[in-house]
């Protein structure tokens, strides 16, 4: 069976200095089940690639990644990088 060994790197990418006081929550789901959650809190190095989640994605798995501002309702630029390699 094939599987994918991945690394998910959430990023807190905002341009305005005021956003440094906000917390962001990243959630990874496999087949609608939460498998990982991370909050990048205020004061966290926003450009840090050391914020990583290692994942193994089984075959036939629907993957969903979401991000939300948990401090308030401001919309800011947040994102993440999901990279991986397929193994047999």
């Amino acid at each position: 069976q094939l599987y994918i060994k991945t690394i998910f790197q959430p990023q807190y990418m905002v341009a305005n200095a005021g956003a440094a006081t906000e917390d962001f929550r990243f959630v990874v789901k496999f087949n609608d089940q939460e498998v990982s959650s991370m909050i990048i809190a205020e004061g966290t190095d926003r450009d840090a690639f050391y914020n990583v989640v290692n994942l193994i994605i089984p075959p036939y798995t629907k993957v969903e990644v979401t991000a939300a501002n948990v401090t308030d309702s401001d919309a800011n630029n947040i994102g993440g990088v999901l990279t991986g390699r397929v193994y047999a």
Side-chain angles (χ1 to χ4, degrees):
Q1 294 260 357
L2 297 176
Y3 67 93
I4 305 172
K5 184 176 179 182
T6 68
I7 295 175
F8 173 63
Q9 298 170 311
Q11 290 295 292
Y12 176 10
M13 302 178 283
V14 291
N16 60 329
T21 62
E22 297 171 342
D23 301 339
F24 294 92
R25 181 173 187 240
F26 294 84
V27 176
V28 179
K29 294 181 180 180
F30 289 176
N31 297 327
D32 300 319
Q33 297 295 312
E34 187 174 314
V35 295
S36 180
S37 175
M38 175 187 284
I39 292 180
I40 296 183
E42 65 176 282
T44 301
D45 184 357
R46 293 176 285 162
D47 300 319
F49 274 99
Y50 56 79
N51 297 317
V52 299
V53 179
N54 293 299
L55 302 165
I56 295 179
I57 303 173
Y60 309 106
T61 301
K62 179 181 96 173
V63 178
E64 178 183 357
V65 180
T66 59
N69 182 337
V70 296
T71 304
D72 56 39
S73 62
D74 286 350
N76 288 303
N77 296 323
I78 54 177
V81 179
L82 180 67
T83 58
R85 182 175 177 187
V86 176
Y87 291 88

